[in-house]
Amino acid sequence: MKGFLVSTLASVLLGALAITGAAVPASAQSRSDQADARKEMRAGNIMRSREIEARILPTMRDAEYLGFAYDPTAMAYRLKFIRDGRVVFIDVDARTGRVIGRSN
């Protein structure tokens, strides 16, 4: 009886998650993106994040650097800054290091 109860409860909870469309936690997505970046970097397909930062940070001396994220689909890094109370994003092609987008 106890096993049946646990099994039924588990089924109900899984069903509820499926209906509500519970999303993957951001931290899990971030780890996956980092793993993708490492894999692509080791294969020689993209530049290291430190190389990208070395190119971009000197151009943004008037802003505070907050960090970056890697987008495996676009093969691009998004560097995040704050300047005068506003968030600024710089999108960089991970293969070439070329700036491909900027928000002001």
Side-chain angles (χ1 to χ4, degrees):
M1 182 69 171
K2 184 178 179 182
F4 173 75
L5 209 56
V6 170
S7 176
T8 303
L9 182 59
S11 295
V12 169
L13 289 174
L14 288 174
L17 287 174
I19 290 170
T20 61
V24 175
S27 61
Q29 182 65 37
S30 177
R31 281 190 297 272
S32 174
D33 291 349
Q34 290 172 1
D36 288 339
R38 269 193 300 279
K39 184 177 108 184
E40 293 291 342
M41 184 198 55
R42 287 186 181 130
N45 297 331
I46 66 170
M47 298 173 68
R48 294 179 179 274
S49 59
R50 297 292 176 217
E51 293 174 284
I52 299 290
E53 290 171 334
R55 289 180 179 208
I56 304 301
L57 269 61
T59 69
M60 297 291 293
R61 291 188 192 271
D62 60 337
E64 179 183 350
Y65 181 54
L66 301 175
F68 73 93
Y70 175 69
D71 180 346
T73 303
M75 291 185 95
Y77 289 101
R78 172 167 273 189
L79 284 71
K80 186 176 180 179
F81 298 86
I82 191 160
R83 177 177 46 206
D84 300 327
R86 299 184 72 178
V87 176
V88 177
F89 295 105
I90 307 291
D91 296 328
V92 181
D93 185 310
R95 294 162 287 200
T96 64
R98 185 176 63 85
V99 173
I100 56 176
R102 181 183 303 255
S103 72
N104 290 326

